[in-house]
Amino acid sequence: MNASPDFEELSRRIRACRICRDTPRYGTALPHEPRPILQGSASARLCIASQAPGTRAHASGIPFADRSGSRLRSWLGIDELTFYDAGKVAIVPMGSCFPGQDAKGGDLGPRRECAEAWRRPLFEALPSLELVLLIGQYAQGWHLGDEFRDGLTETVRRWREVLASPHKPRILPLPHPSWRNNGWLKRNPWFEAEVLPVLQTEVAGMLKQHR
């Protein structure tokens, strides 16, 4: 049986990656200098499979360095110190670089080149994962395949079914914690009432075992 790839070495390779700027396979080249951002280690048990870094993360090099990060940490019930502990929490976006913005100022979707090149090696380098949180439709579409159906809302609504499915590691679909999703949260109060207590219990138990 082959050993899992080394996460630190793989991270160095990803941070040096310039596919989306120099040899883009989809659409035009990335118009700015790539800055791949990710976090993790072979011991991480919780994985945040997110979309792509935003403008603040791109500027700072720190994932979720904005209000969406504050909301996500409140959803998880953990503080910043724990969230940024790479030995416990992996953060692996579908696109490791900030993809730019559309004409309305919204972030573009993650570059497809990134997942094609790095997604499978990344998860091979995270052998201790117990739970993967699928943040948003891009992560859900890639990780769930045919199980991602009827859009994000209906996929998240089936969270119990997805969490109980025989995936290893287990997976849980979530909406993006962006403040642009305030309307979604108001229209779907079941998410905070039903999903978040289970999520926080899962995370607390996982991190307690990690000590």
Side-chain angles (χ1 to χ4, degrees), residues 57-186:
H58 178 70
S60 66
I62 301 172
F64 286 99
D66 53 20
R67 290 192 300 166
S68 66
S70 297
R71 172 176 274 170
L72 179 58
R73 289 186 285 275
S74 73
W75 284 358
L76 301 176
I78 60 177
D79 58 20
E80 284 194 34
L81 186 64
T82 302
F83 185 80
Y84 290 116
D85 185 340
K88 298 177 180 178
V89 180
I91 302 174
V92 287
M94 292 300 301
S96 296
C97 295
F98 171 56
Q101 295 179 320
D102 59 26
K104 296 181 179 179
D107 290 353
L108 294 170
R111 298 289 303 214
R112 291 168 60 189
E113 295 94 338
C114 193
E116 287 187 0
W118 301 112
R119 202 81 186 151
R120 295 191 187 282
L122 267 173
F123 278 85
E124 290 173 2
L126 294 166
S128 301
L129 291 182
E130 296 179 10
L131 180 64
V132 179
L133 306 179
L134 305 182
I135 308 291
Q137 63 178 336
Y138 295 101
Q140 291 168 19
W142 197 91
H143 285 269
L144 290 173
D146 292 341
E147 293 180 61
F148 177 66
R149 56 184 186 272
D150 302 323
L152 179 142
T153 299
E154 292 308 311
T155 299
V156 176
R157 198 184 297 275
R158 296 196 309 274
W159 67 273
R160 291 185 182 86
E161 172 190 332
V162 176
L163 186 61
S165 65
H167 292 281
K168 297 237 181 251
R170 294 181 303 150
I171 54 181
L172 179 63
L174 302 175
H176 197 283
S178 168
W179 293 89
R180 292 176 180 267
N181 277 344
N182 283 350
W184 188 95
L185 293 170
K186 289 180 180 178

Side-chain angles (χ1 to χ4, degrees), residues 5-25:
D6 180 73
F7 188 89
E8 291 304 318
E9 173 59 28
L10 186 60
S11 295
R12 285 191 286 271
R13 291 168 56 198
I14 292 173
R15 291 189 176 102
C17 178
R18 296 295 182 269
I19 291 174
C20 56
R21 186 194 66 185
D22 297 344
T23 56
R25 300 170 190 161

Side-chain angles (χ1 to χ4, degrees), residues 13-54:
R13 291 168 56 198
I14 292 173
R15 291 189 176 102
C17 178
R18 296 295 182 269
I19 291 174
C20 56
R21 186 194 66 185
D22 297 344
T23 56
R25 300 170 190 161
Y26 305 100
T28 59
L30 193 72
H32 53 264
E33 177 65 21
R35 189 178 191 179
I37 298 171
L38 69 161
Q39 170 183 303
S41 74
S43 66
R45 293 188 178 182
L46 175 65
C47 177
I48 297 168
S50 51
Q51 180 167 297

